[in-house]
Amino acid sequence: MLRIEQSGPVATLIMDNPRMRNAITQEMWQQFQELLERLDADDTVKIVVVRGAGEHFSAGADIASVEKILHDPATGQSDGGDITVAETALARFRKPTIAAIDGYCVGGGWQIAGACDIRLASERAVYGITPAKIGIVYPLSGIKRLVELVGPATAKYLLFSGDFIDAHEALRLGLATKILDTENFWDEIHTFALHLSERSQFSTQGIKPWSTRSVPNHTTWPSSAPIGRGKWR
């Protein structure tokens, strides 16, 4: 299941399936959009941290039901399904998001981490982007996001090989934003989340849509863009 904990302005969205290293079942994938909508509507929440319960971020999509998870009823094809809905809801979430990556971050777990704004990894984090190991093709949204983060050549290396990499290699390649000391990891995550919550929500929420995609040199800001001074809810 997914569950939410809140401490002041920081909400934590927890993938809670520790018996399976937080493998994400179909029911869990289907919960993301609803819970994110709830967090978006809650004015007391300024920052969302995404993490796994216990010792791992997530071992990925539940292999036993991966075909059902990837199935898109609208097209009849295995081209994203619940995974695309979940990661798109996270990537488009209005407020800043932090992936707190401890232990394994593999497969579908990486797709959730990759959809977050900031990825903070413990020194013992292990990443794996593994479709070639289990004979599936990642949804297009996840592949495009990976390419945007690390570039085409590195994305191909990670996707084709399925090799596991440690936190330091993940940082070098662009999969991690920063590495934190394992012993104080959760305290540092909370401190940083509080730090972000003290910044202008008007600024962060206004900047976020433009900082997640390439913007042409001569972009005309839409009339709805929040330019100037103001305050978000």
Side-chain angles (χ1 to χ4, degrees):
M1 62 174 289
L2 298 186
R3 58 186 174 86
I4 295 171
E5 294 181 358
Q6 185 172 351
S7 176
V10 179
T12 303
L13 183 59
I14 302 171
M15 297 173 284
D16 193 353
N17 188 11
R19 185 177 60 84
M20 299 176 64
R21 293 179 175 172
N22 298 317
I24 308 170
T25 64
Q26 185 171 27
E27 180 182 3
M28 292 166 70
W29 286 111
Q30 292 172 346
Q31 285 184 279
F32 272 98
Q33 185 172 26
E34 177 187 351
L35 294 183
L36 288 166
E37 288 174 353
R38 187 188 308 174
L39 292 170
D40 181 77
D42 187 340
D43 293 347
T44 67
V45 173
K46 308 300 182 187
I47 306 292
V48 173
V49 174
V50 182
R51 61 164 292 182
E55 298 182 350
H56 300 285
F57 185 78
S58 174
D62 180 12
I63 297 299
S65 55
V66 70
E67 289 189 10
K68 289 193 298 181
I69 293 168
L70 287 170
H71 180 74
D72 186 345
T75 65
Q77 304 296 316
S78 294
D79 54 4
D82 295 322
I83 292 179
T84 295
V85 172
E87 68 171 347
T88 300
L90 186 54
R92 293 179 178 174
F93 187 67
R94 183 169 55 94
K95 304 171 186 180
T97 55
I98 302 168
I101 302 168
D102 189 32
Y104 283 109
C105 175
V106 177
W110 156 254
Q111 291 181 255
I112 291 300
C116 290
D117 298 314
I118 298 170
R119 286 161 291 282
L120 302 180
S122 76
E123 291 178 325
R124 70 184 201 97
V126 177
Y127 288 67
I129 300 176
T130 54
K133 283 188 173 181
I134 58 176
I136 64 169
V137 176
Y138 270 5
L140 178 60
S141 56
I143 295 175
K144 289 177 67 176
R145 191 167 292 114
L146 178 63
V147 171
E148 289 171 357
L149 287 170
V150 304
T154 299
K156 289 174 185 177
Y157 161 68
L158 294 166
L159 288 163
F160 295 174
S161 71
D163 290 344
F164 285 178
I165 60 174
D166 64 21
H168 292 279
E169 182 73 355
L171 179 65
R172 187 183 71 82
L173 295 178
L175 300 179
T177 310
K178 188 175 182 180
I179 299 174
L180 304 178
D181 177 65
T182 300
E183 184 176 352
N184 302 311
F185 182 67
W186 296 111
D187 288 340
E188 290 195 46
I189 290 290
H190 188 64
T191 297
F192 181 69
L194 287 175
H195 175 67
L196 289 190
S197 74
E198 294 169 353
R199 296 299 183 250
S200 165
Q201 298 302 299
F202 175 78
S203 295
T204 55
Q205 293 175 26
I207 291 166
K208 178 172 174 173
W210 296 98
S211 61
T212 55
R213 59 180 180 267
S214 298
V215 181
N217 291 333
H218 302 289
T219 295
T220 300
W221 288 74
S223 58
S224 59
I227 301 173
R229 298 182 62 84
K231 185 177 181 182
W232 286 101
R233 60 181 176 142

